Amino acid sequence: MGLVLLDQQMSGAYYYRRRAVAPRNPQALDADLARALWRRSEELLGGRLSDPV
């Protein structure tokens, strides 16, 4: 993983050696799992978080 210049940035992309790549673990793209993690994070923090982008 590395840094990307702002003019080259793609939101939500994974990078390796300055190139966009697919994540190795398919769970990284699982929308249901992401929602469950978001809900659990809210529970642990004791409040509502802003909606994920």
Side-chain angles (χ1 to χ4, degrees), residues 15-49:
Y15 289 88
Y16 178 73
R17 296 188 181 184
R18 291 185 258 160
R19 293 179 187 223
V21 296
R24 290 185 184 181
N25 188 328
Q27 289 180 326
L29 301 175
D30 185 327
D32 292 332
L33 186 58
R35 278 189 289 279
L37 175 59
W38 194 263
R39 283 192 302 271
R40 183 64 179 136
S41 297
E42 288 179 327
E43 291 170 9
L44 292 170
L45 294 172
R48 175 107 172 109
L49 302 174

PDB file of all heavy atoms in Angstrom, residues 15-49:
ATOM      1  N   TYR A  15      -4.344   0.101  -3.579  1.00  0.00           N
ATOM      2  CA  TYR A  15      -3.134   0.389  -4.337  1.00  0.00           C
ATOM      3  C   TYR A  15      -1.973  -0.455  -3.853  1.00  0.00           C
ATOM      4  O   TYR A  15      -1.836  -0.726  -2.665  1.00  0.00           O
ATOM      5  CB  TYR A  15      -2.762   1.866  -4.208  1.00  0.00           C
ATOM      6  CG  TYR A  15      -3.713   2.763  -4.950  1.00  0.00           C
ATOM      7  CD1 TYR A  15      -4.861   3.232  -4.342  1.00  0.00           C
ATOM      8  CD2 TYR A  15      -3.458   3.121  -6.257  1.00  0.00           C
ATOM      9  CE1 TYR A  15      -5.741   4.041  -5.025  1.00  0.00           C
ATOM     10  CE2 TYR A  15      -4.329   3.928  -6.950  1.00  0.00           C
ATOM     11  CZ  TYR A  15      -5.469   4.389  -6.333  1.00  0.00           C
ATOM     12  OH  TYR A  15      -6.342   5.182  -7.007  1.00  0.00           O
ATOM     13  N   TYR A  16      -1.132  -0.855  -4.780  1.00  0.00           N
ATOM     14  CA  TYR A  16       0.114  -1.540  -4.487  1.00  0.00           C
ATOM     15  C   TYR A  16       1.132  -1.039  -5.491  1.00  0.00           C
ATOM     16  O   TYR A  16       0.882  -1.095  -6.710  1.00  0.00           O
ATOM     17  CB  TYR A  16      -0.058  -3.055  -4.596  1.00  0.00           C
ATOM     18  CG  TYR A  16       1.223  -3.807  -4.340  1.00  0.00           C
ATOM     19  CD1 TYR A  16       1.734  -3.902  -3.056  1.00  0.00           C
ATOM     20  CD2 TYR A  16       1.908  -4.409  -5.377  1.00  0.00           C
ATOM     21  CE1 TYR A  16       2.913  -4.578  -2.814  1.00  0.00           C
ATOM     22  CE2 TYR A  16       3.080  -5.096  -5.143  1.00  0.00           C
ATOM     23  CZ  TYR A  16       3.586  -5.176  -3.857  1.00  0.00           C
ATOM     24  OH  TYR A  16       4.754  -5.843  -3.620  1.00  0.00           O
ATOM     25  N   ARG A  17       2.228  -0.518  -4.964  1.00  0.00           N
ATOM     26  CA  ARG A  17       3.275   0.045  -5.821  1.00  0.00           C
ATOM     27  C   ARG A  17       2.722   1.069  -6.811  1.00  0.00           C
ATOM     28  O   ARG A  17       3.004   1.027  -7.998  1.00  0.00           O
ATOM     29  CB  ARG A  17       4.044  -1.055  -6.534  1.00  0.00           C
ATOM     30  CG  ARG A  17       4.783  -1.941  -5.563  1.00  0.00           C
ATOM     31  CD  ARG A  17       5.681  -2.897  -6.247  1.00  0.00           C
ATOM     32  NE  ARG A  17       6.328  -3.712  -5.223  1.00  0.00           N
ATOM     33  CZ  ARG A  17       7.246  -4.599  -5.471  1.00  0.00           C
ATOM     34  NH1 ARG A  17       7.633  -4.815  -6.706  1.00  0.00           N
ATOM     35  NH2 ARG A  17       7.762  -5.286  -4.500  1.00  0.00           N
ATOM     36  N   ARG A  18       1.883   1.958  -6.260  1.00  0.00           N
ATOM     37  CA  ARG A  18       1.303   3.079  -7.005  1.00  0.00           C
ATOM     38  C   ARG A  18       0.372   2.665  -8.142  1.00  0.00           C
ATOM     39  O   ARG A  18       0.117   3.420  -9.059  1.00  0.00           O
ATOM     40  CB  ARG A  18       2.403   3.992  -7.540  1.00  0.00           C
ATOM     41  CG  ARG A  18       3.109   4.736  -6.433  1.00  0.00           C
ATOM     42  CD  ARG A  18       4.087   5.707  -6.972  1.00  0.00           C
ATOM     43  NE  ARG A  18       5.407   5.101  -6.837  1.00  0.00           N
ATOM     44  CZ  ARG A  18       6.463   5.462  -7.520  1.00  0.00           C
ATOM     45  NH1 ARG A  18       6.381   6.430  -8.378  1.00  0.00           N
ATOM     46  NH2 ARG A  18       7.606   4.890  -7.321  1.00  0.00           N
ATOM     47  N   ARG A  19      -0.147   1.469  -8.090  1.00  0.00           N
ATOM     48  CA  ARG A  19      -1.117   1.020  -9.102  1.00  0.00           C
ATOM     49  C   ARG A  19      -2.358   0.481  -8.413  1.00  0.00           C
ATOM     50  O   ARG A  19      -2.266  -0.197  -7.389  1.00  0.00           O
ATOM     51  CB  ARG A  19      -0.518  -0.090  -9.967  1.00  0.00           C
ATOM     52  CG  ARG A  19       0.610   0.395 -10.821  1.00  0.00           C
ATOM     53  CD  ARG A  19       1.164  -0.739 -11.628  1.00  0.00           C
ATOM     54  NE  ARG A  19       2.345  -0.257 -12.316  1.00  0.00           N
ATOM     55  CZ  ARG A  19       2.609  -0.525 -13.560  1.00  0.00           C
ATOM     56  NH1 ARG A  19       1.817  -1.285 -14.257  1.00  0.00           N
ATOM     57  NH2 ARG A  19       3.708  -0.054 -14.120  1.00  0.00           N
ATOM     58  N   ALA A  20      -3.509   0.773  -9.014  1.00  0.00           N
ATOM     59  CA  ALA A  20      -4.761   0.244  -8.471  1.00  0.00           C
ATOM     60  C   ALA A  20      -4.782  -1.260  -8.693  1.00  0.00           C
ATOM     61  O   ALA A  20      -4.440  -1.747  -9.773  1.00  0.00           O
ATOM     62  CB  ALA A  20      -5.943   0.908  -9.149  1.00  0.00           C
ATOM     63  N   VAL A  21      -5.146  -1.997  -7.663  1.00  0.00           N
ATOM     64  CA  VAL A  21      -5.210  -3.460  -7.731  1.00  0.00           C
ATOM     65  C   VAL A  21      -6.502  -3.932  -7.071  1.00  0.00           C
ATOM     66  O   VAL A  21      -7.120  -3.217  -6.294  1.00  0.00           O
ATOM     67  CB  VAL A  21      -4.003  -4.121  -7.027  1.00  0.00           C
ATOM     68  CG1 VAL A  21      -2.705  -3.773  -7.720  1.00  0.00           C
ATOM     69  CG2 VAL A  21      -3.941  -3.744  -5.564  1.00  0.00           C
ATOM     70  N   ALA A  22      -6.896  -5.150  -7.376  1.00  0.00           N
ATOM     71  CA  ALA A  22      -8.047  -5.767  -6.724  1.00  0.00           C
ATOM     72  C   ALA A  22      -7.613  -6.241  -5.339  1.00  0.00           C
ATOM     73  O   ALA A  22      -6.482  -6.704  -5.168  1.00  0.00           O
ATOM     74  CB  ALA A  22      -8.547  -6.941  -7.547  1.00  0.00           C
ATOM     75  N   PRO A  23      -8.484  -6.123  -4.347  1.00  0.00           N
ATOM     76  CA  PRO A  23      -8.126  -6.623  -3.015  1.00  0.00           C
ATOM     77  C   PRO A  23      -7.937  -8.139  -3.054  1.00  0.00           C
ATOM     78  O   PRO A  23      -8.604  -8.837  -3.813  1.00  0.00           O
ATOM     79  CB  PRO A  23      -9.309  -6.223  -2.140  1.00  0.00           C
ATOM     80  CG  PRO A  23     -10.428  -5.967  -3.073  1.00  0.00           C
ATOM     81  CD  PRO A  23      -9.834  -5.577  -4.377  1.00  0.00           C
ATOM     82  N   ARG A  24      -7.046  -8.646  -2.232  1.00  0.00           N
ATOM     83  CA  ARG A  24      -6.771 -10.089  -2.199  1.00  0.00           C
ATOM     84  C   ARG A  24      -7.903 -10.882  -1.557  1.00  0.00           C
ATOM     85  O   ARG A  24      -8.151 -12.010  -1.896  1.00  0.00           O
ATOM     86  CB  ARG A  24      -5.479 -10.360  -1.441  1.00  0.00           C
ATOM     87  CG  ARG A  24      -4.270  -9.893  -2.176  1.00  0.00           C
ATOM     88  CD  ARG A  24      -3.030 -10.290  -1.433  1.00  0.00           C
ATOM     89  NE  ARG A  24      -1.859  -9.754  -2.110  1.00  0.00           N
ATOM     90  CZ  ARG A  24      -0.637  -9.949  -1.694  1.00  0.00           C
ATOM     91  NH1 ARG A  24      -0.404 -10.647  -0.602  1.00  0.00           N
ATOM     92  NH2 ARG A  24       0.365  -9.433  -2.364  1.00  0.00           N
ATOM     93  N   ASN A  25      -8.571 -10.254  -0.595  1.00  0.00           N
ATOM     94  CA  ASN A  25      -9.630 -10.944   0.129  1.00  0.00           C
ATOM     95  C   ASN A  25     -10.987 -10.479  -0.399  1.00  0.00           C
ATOM     96  O   ASN A  25     -11.297  -9.290  -0.339  1.00  0.00           O
ATOM     97  CB  ASN A  25      -9.509 -10.638   1.620  1.00  0.00           C
ATOM     98  CG  ASN A  25     -10.433 -11.459   2.464  1.00  0.00           C
ATOM     99  OD1 ASN A  25     -11.527 -11.816   2.044  1.00  0.00           O
ATOM    100  ND2 ASN A  25     -10.010 -11.753   3.675  1.00  0.00           N
ATOM    101  N   PRO A  26     -11.823 -11.383  -0.902  1.00  0.00           N
ATOM    102  CA  PRO A  26     -13.127 -10.983  -1.437  1.00  0.00           C
ATOM    103  C   PRO A  26     -14.032 -10.325  -0.396  1.00  0.00           C
ATOM    104  O   PRO A  26     -14.948  -9.594  -0.756  1.00  0.00           O
ATOM    105  CB  PRO A  26     -13.733 -12.282  -1.956  1.00  0.00           C
ATOM    106  CG  PRO A  26     -12.917 -13.381  -1.393  1.00  0.00           C
ATOM    107  CD  PRO A  26     -11.592 -12.808  -1.006  1.00  0.00           C
ATOM    108  N   GLN A  27     -13.768 -10.538   0.891  1.00  0.00           N
ATOM    109  CA  GLN A  27     -14.569  -9.893   1.935  1.00  0.00           C
ATOM    110  C   GLN A  27     -14.424  -8.380   1.886  1.00  0.00           C
ATOM    111  O   GLN A  27     -15.303  -7.650   2.339  1.00  0.00           O
ATOM    112  CB  GLN A  27     -14.170 -10.406   3.312  1.00  0.00           C
ATOM    113  CG  GLN A  27     -14.596 -11.822   3.573  1.00  0.00           C
ATOM    114  CD  GLN A  27     -14.181 -12.280   4.955  1.00  0.00           C
ATOM    115  OE1 GLN A  27     -13.128 -11.884   5.458  1.00  0.00           O
ATOM    116  NE2 GLN A  27     -14.994 -13.110   5.564  1.00  0.00           N
ATOM    117  N   ALA A  28     -13.346  -7.879   1.320  1.00  0.00           N
ATOM    118  CA  ALA A  28     -13.132  -6.434   1.221  1.00  0.00           C
ATOM    119  C   ALA A  28     -14.181  -5.770   0.333  1.00  0.00           C
ATOM    120  O   ALA A  28     -14.413  -4.572   0.442  1.00  0.00           O
ATOM    121  CB  ALA A  28     -11.740  -6.151   0.681  1.00  0.00           C
ATOM    122  N   LEU A  29     -14.843  -6.535  -0.520  1.00  0.00           N
ATOM    123  CA  LEU A  29     -15.856  -5.994  -1.429  1.00  0.00           C
ATOM    124  C   LEU A  29     -17.278  -6.393  -1.035  1.00  0.00           C
ATOM    125  O   LEU A  29     -18.214  -6.112  -1.764  1.00  0.00           O
ATOM    126  CB  LEU A  29     -15.570  -6.471  -2.861  1.00  0.00           C
ATOM    127  CG  LEU A  29     -14.210  -6.075  -3.422  1.00  0.00           C
ATOM    128  CD1 LEU A  29     -14.004  -6.695  -4.789  1.00  0.00           C
ATOM    129  CD2 LEU A  29     -14.071  -4.569  -3.476  1.00  0.00           C
ATOM    130  N   ASP A  30     -17.436  -7.013   0.123  1.00  0.00           N
ATOM    131  CA  ASP A  30     -18.728  -7.507   0.582  1.00  0.00           C
ATOM    132  C   ASP A  30     -19.522  -6.373   1.243  1.00  0.00           C
ATOM    133  O   ASP A  30     -19.218  -5.964   2.369  1.00  0.00           O
ATOM    134  CB  ASP A  30     -18.510  -8.657   1.561  1.00  0.00           C
ATOM    135  CG  ASP A  30     -19.785  -9.326   1.998  1.00  0.00           C
ATOM    136  OD1 ASP A  30     -20.833  -8.649   2.109  1.00  0.00           O
ATOM    137  OD2 ASP A  30     -19.746 -10.535   2.260  1.00  0.00           O
ATOM    138  N   ALA A  31     -20.524  -5.858   0.546  1.00  0.00           N
ATOM    139  CA  ALA A  31     -21.306  -4.724   1.051  1.00  0.00           C
ATOM    140  C   ALA A  31     -22.066  -5.079   2.327  1.00  0.00           C
ATOM    141  O   ALA A  31     -22.192  -4.246   3.234  1.00  0.00           O
ATOM    142  CB  ALA A  31     -22.265  -4.230  -0.020  1.00  0.00           C
ATOM    143  N   ASP A  32     -22.594  -6.291   2.430  1.00  0.00           N
ATOM    144  CA  ASP A  32     -23.320  -6.703   3.638  1.00  0.00           C
ATOM    145  C   ASP A  32     -22.390  -6.737   4.843  1.00  0.00           C
ATOM    146  O   ASP A  32     -22.749  -6.301   5.940  1.00  0.00           O
ATOM    147  CB  ASP A  32     -23.973  -8.071   3.439  1.00  0.00           C
ATOM    148  CG  ASP A  32     -25.109  -8.035   2.435  1.00  0.00           C
ATOM    149  OD1 ASP A  32     -25.748  -6.965   2.298  1.00  0.00           O
ATOM    150  OD2 ASP A  32     -25.351  -9.065   1.780  1.00  0.00           O
ATOM    151  N   LEU A  33     -21.200  -7.248   4.647  1.00  0.00           N
ATOM    152  CA  LEU A  33     -20.215  -7.292   5.720  1.00  0.00           C
ATOM    153  C   LEU A  33     -19.804  -5.879   6.139  1.00  0.00           C
ATOM    154  O   LEU A  33     -19.664  -5.591   7.324  1.00  0.00           O
ATOM    155  CB  LEU A  33     -18.985  -8.089   5.273  1.00  0.00           C
ATOM    156  CG  LEU A  33     -17.919  -8.359   6.321  1.00  0.00           C
ATOM    157  CD1 LEU A  33     -18.496  -9.101   7.515  1.00  0.00           C
ATOM    158  CD2 LEU A  33     -16.785  -9.144   5.699  1.00  0.00           C
ATOM    159  N   ALA A  34     -19.665  -4.978   5.171  1.00  0.00           N
ATOM    160  CA  ALA A  34     -19.318  -3.584   5.479  1.00  0.00           C
ATOM    161  C   ALA A  34     -20.407  -2.927   6.323  1.00  0.00           C
ATOM    162  O   ALA A  34     -20.108  -2.219   7.291  1.00  0.00           O
ATOM    163  CB  ALA A  34     -19.097  -2.804   4.187  1.00  0.00           C
ATOM    164  N   ARG A  35     -21.676  -3.168   5.970  1.00  0.00           N
ATOM    165  CA  ARG A  35     -22.781  -2.601   6.754  1.00  0.00           C
ATOM    166  C   ARG A  35     -22.791  -3.157   8.173  1.00  0.00           C
ATOM    167  O   ARG A  35     -23.014  -2.432   9.142  1.00  0.00           O
ATOM    168  CB  ARG A  35     -24.111  -2.867   6.061  1.00  0.00           C
ATOM    169  CG  ARG A  35     -24.423  -1.871   4.957  1.00  0.00           C
ATOM    170  CD  ARG A  35     -25.844  -2.027   4.439  1.00  0.00           C
ATOM    171  NE  ARG A  35     -26.027  -3.252   3.673  1.00  0.00           N
ATOM    172  CZ  ARG A  35     -25.674  -3.399   2.392  1.00  0.00           C
ATOM    173  NH1 ARG A  35     -25.148  -2.399   1.737  1.00  0.00           N
ATOM    174  NH2 ARG A  35     -25.864  -4.544   1.772  1.00  0.00           N
ATOM    175  N   ALA A  36     -22.549  -4.462   8.307  1.00  0.00           N
ATOM    176  CA  ALA A  36     -22.519  -5.083   9.634  1.00  0.00           C
ATOM    177  C   ALA A  36     -21.386  -4.499  10.476  1.00  0.00           C
ATOM    178  O   ALA A  36     -21.565  -4.221  11.668  1.00  0.00           O
ATOM    179  CB  ALA A  36     -22.369  -6.593   9.506  1.00  0.00           C
ATOM    180  N   LEU A  37     -20.238  -4.285   9.868  1.00  0.00           N
ATOM    181  CA  LEU A  37     -19.112  -3.685  10.576  1.00  0.00           C
ATOM    182  C   LEU A  37     -19.439  -2.258  10.995  1.00  0.00           C
ATOM    183  O   LEU A  37     -19.132  -1.835  12.110  1.00  0.00           O
ATOM    184  CB  LEU A  37     -17.864  -3.699   9.692  1.00  0.00           C
ATOM    185  CG  LEU A  37     -16.628  -3.007  10.250  1.00  0.00           C
ATOM    186  CD1 LEU A  37     -16.202  -3.626  11.571  1.00  0.00           C
ATOM    187  CD2 LEU A  37     -15.497  -3.044   9.242  1.00  0.00           C
ATOM    188  N   TRP A  38     -20.106  -1.520  10.122  1.00  0.00           N
ATOM    189  CA  TRP A  38     -20.500  -0.140  10.438  1.00  0.00           C
ATOM    190  C   TRP A  38     -21.450  -0.119  11.630  1.00  0.00           C
ATOM    191  O   TRP A  38     -21.274   0.659  12.571  1.00  0.00           O
ATOM    192  CB  TRP A  38     -21.155   0.493   9.212  1.00  0.00           C
ATOM    193  CG  TRP A  38     -21.275   1.978   9.332  1.00  0.00           C
ATOM    194  CD1 TRP A  38     -22.382   2.670   9.733  1.00  0.00           C
ATOM    195  CD2 TRP A  38     -20.267   2.947   9.075  1.00  0.00           C
ATOM    196  NE1 TRP A  38     -22.128   4.019   9.725  1.00  0.00           N
ATOM    197  CE2 TRP A  38     -20.828   4.214   9.328  1.00  0.00           C
ATOM    198  CE3 TRP A  38     -18.949   2.862   8.648  1.00  0.00           C
ATOM    199  CZ2 TRP A  38     -20.112   5.387   9.173  1.00  0.00           C
ATOM    200  CZ3 TRP A  38     -18.241   4.037   8.490  1.00  0.00           C
ATOM    201  CH2 TRP A  38     -18.828   5.272   8.750  1.00  0.00           C
ATOM    202  N   ARG A  39     -22.463  -1.008  11.600  1.00  0.00           N
ATOM    203  CA  ARG A  39     -23.428  -1.070  12.717  1.00  0.00           C
ATOM    204  C   ARG A  39     -22.732  -1.444  14.022  1.00  0.00           C
ATOM    205  O   ARG A  39     -23.003  -0.865  15.072  1.00  0.00           O
ATOM    206  CB  ARG A  39     -24.544  -2.061  12.395  1.00  0.00           C
ATOM    207  CG  ARG A  39     -25.582  -1.524  11.434  1.00  0.00           C
ATOM    208  CD  ARG A  39     -26.816  -2.405  11.372  1.00  0.00           C
ATOM    209  NE  ARG A  39     -26.512  -3.775  10.984  1.00  0.00           N
ATOM    210  CZ  ARG A  39     -26.466  -4.217   9.728  1.00  0.00           C
ATOM    211  NH1 ARG A  39     -26.705  -3.393   8.730  1.00  0.00           N
ATOM    212  NH2 ARG A  39     -26.195  -5.477   9.465  1.00  0.00           N
ATOM    213  N   ARG A  40     -21.837  -2.408  13.959  1.00  0.00           N
ATOM    214  CA  ARG A  40     -21.133  -2.839  15.172  1.00  0.00           C
ATOM    215  C   ARG A  40     -20.253  -1.708  15.708  1.00  0.00           C
ATOM    216  O   ARG A  40     -20.172  -1.499  16.922  1.00  0.00           O
ATOM    217  CB  ARG A  40     -20.290  -4.080  14.878  1.00  0.00           C
ATOM    218  CG  ARG A  40     -19.593  -4.632  16.083  1.00  0.00           C
ATOM    219  CD  ARG A  40     -20.593  -5.136  17.126  1.00  0.00           C
ATOM    220  NE  ARG A  40     -19.867  -5.674  18.259  1.00  0.00           N
ATOM    221  CZ  ARG A  40     -20.162  -5.438  19.515  1.00  0.00           C
ATOM    222  NH1 ARG A  40     -21.226  -4.718  19.827  1.00  0.00           N
ATOM    223  NH2 ARG A  40     -19.444  -5.930  20.481  1.00  0.00           N
ATOM    224  N   SER A  41     -19.628  -0.966  14.817  1.00  0.00           N
ATOM    225  CA  SER A  41     -18.808   0.175  15.232  1.00  0.00           C
ATOM    226  C   SER A  41     -19.655   1.211  15.944  1.00  0.00           C
ATOM    227  O   SER A  41     -19.245   1.769  16.980  1.00  0.00           O
ATOM    228  CB  SER A  41     -18.118   0.813  14.024  1.00  0.00           C
ATOM    229  OG  SER A  41     -17.238  -0.106  13.420  1.00  0.00           O
ATOM    230  N   GLU A  42     -20.871   1.445  15.428  1.00  0.00           N
ATOM    231  CA  GLU A  42     -21.775   2.385  16.086  1.00  0.00           C
ATOM    232  C   GLU A  42     -22.141   1.897  17.481  1.00  0.00           C
ATOM    233  O   GLU A  42     -22.166   2.682  18.434  1.00  0.00           O
ATOM    234  CB  GLU A  42     -23.039   2.573  15.257  1.00  0.00           C
ATOM    235  CG  GLU A  42     -22.823   3.365  13.995  1.00  0.00           C
ATOM    236  CD  GLU A  42     -24.087   3.519  13.171  1.00  0.00           C
ATOM    237  OE1 GLU A  42     -24.934   2.604  13.162  1.00  0.00           O
ATOM    238  OE2 GLU A  42     -24.221   4.570  12.536  1.00  0.00           O
ATOM    239  N   GLU A  43     -22.411   0.613  17.604  1.00  0.00           N
ATOM    240  CA  GLU A  43     -22.759   0.049  18.914  1.00  0.00           C
ATOM    241  C   GLU A  43     -21.613   0.236  19.903  1.00  0.00           C
ATOM    242  O   GLU A  43     -21.830   0.627  21.048  1.00  0.00           O
ATOM    243  CB  GLU A  43     -23.078  -1.440  18.780  1.00  0.00           C
ATOM    244  CG  GLU A  43     -24.356  -1.742  18.044  1.00  0.00           C
ATOM    245  CD  GLU A  43     -24.497  -3.231  17.742  1.00  0.00           C
ATOM    246  OE1 GLU A  43     -23.694  -4.038  18.251  1.00  0.00           O
ATOM    247  OE2 GLU A  43     -25.422  -3.576  16.985  1.00  0.00           O
ATOM    248  N   LEU A  44     -20.411  -0.055  19.473  1.00  0.00           N
ATOM    249  CA  LEU A  44     -19.251   0.046  20.364  1.00  0.00           C
ATOM    250  C   LEU A  44     -18.938   1.488  20.750  1.00  0.00           C
ATOM    251  O   LEU A  44     -18.465   1.743  21.847  1.00  0.00           O
ATOM    252  CB  LEU A  44     -18.023  -0.578  19.701  1.00  0.00           C
ATOM    253  CG  LEU A  44     -18.083  -2.100  19.520  1.00  0.00           C
ATOM    254  CD1 LEU A  44     -16.944  -2.577  18.658  1.00  0.00           C
ATOM    255  CD2 LEU A  44     -18.085  -2.795  20.870  1.00  0.00           C
ATOM    256  N   LEU A  45     -19.242   2.428  19.861  1.00  0.00           N
ATOM    257  CA  LEU A  45     -18.976   3.833  20.137  1.00  0.00           C
ATOM    258  C   LEU A  45     -20.136   4.523  20.825  1.00  0.00           C
ATOM    259  O   LEU A  45     -20.021   5.681  21.225  1.00  0.00           O
ATOM    260  CB  LEU A  45     -18.610   4.571  18.844  1.00  0.00           C
ATOM    261  CG  LEU A  45     -17.294   4.115  18.212  1.00  0.00           C
ATOM    262  CD1 LEU A  45     -17.124   4.744  16.849  1.00  0.00           C
ATOM    263  CD2 LEU A  45     -16.134   4.447  19.123  1.00  0.00           C
ATOM    264  N   GLY A  46     -21.260   3.832  20.938  1.00  0.00           N
ATOM    265  CA  GLY A  46     -22.400   4.365  21.674  1.00  0.00           C
ATOM    266  C   GLY A  46     -23.178   5.452  20.961  1.00  0.00           C
ATOM    267  O   GLY A  46     -23.791   6.279  21.597  1.00  0.00           O
ATOM    268  N   GLY A  47     -23.159   5.461  19.660  1.00  0.00           N
ATOM    269  CA  GLY A  47     -23.921   6.484  18.957  1.00  0.00           C
ATOM    270  C   GLY A  47     -23.922   6.263  17.460  1.00  0.00           C
ATOM    271  O   GLY A  47     -23.280   5.370  16.936  1.00  0.00           O
ATOM    272  N   ARG A  48     -24.658   7.104  16.790  1.00  0.00           N
ATOM    273  CA  ARG A  48     -24.794   7.026  15.346  1.00  0.00           C
ATOM    274  C   ARG A  48     -23.613   7.729  14.677  1.00  0.00           C
ATOM    275  O   ARG A  48     -23.278   8.855  15.012  1.00  0.00           O
ATOM    276  CB  ARG A  48     -26.100   7.696  14.922  1.00  0.00           C
ATOM    277  CG  ARG A  48     -26.300   7.790  13.447  1.00  0.00           C
ATOM    278  CD  ARG A  48     -27.352   6.793  13.003  1.00  0.00           C
ATOM    279  NE  ARG A  48     -27.670   7.026  11.605  1.00  0.00           N
ATOM    280  CZ  ARG A  48     -27.312   6.199  10.639  1.00  0.00           C
ATOM    281  NH1 ARG A  48     -26.642   5.119  10.908  1.00  0.00           N
ATOM    282  NH2 ARG A  48     -27.637   6.464   9.401  1.00  0.00           N
ATOM    283  N   LEU A  49     -23.002   7.061  13.739  1.00  0.00           N
ATOM    284  CA  LEU A  49     -21.920   7.650  12.961  1.00  0.00           C
ATOM    285  C   LEU A  49     -22.506   8.221  11.673  1.00  0.00           C
ATOM    286  O   LEU A  49     -23.583   7.819  11.242  1.00  0.00           O
ATOM    287  CB  LEU A  49     -20.866   6.586  12.620  1.00  0.00           C
ATOM    288  CG  LEU A  49     -20.220   5.870  13.801  1.00  0.00           C
ATOM    289  CD1 LEU A  49     -19.312   4.758  13.311  1.00  0.00           C
ATOM    290  CD2 LEU A  49     -19.437   6.842  14.648  1.00  0.00           C
TER     291      LEU A  49
END
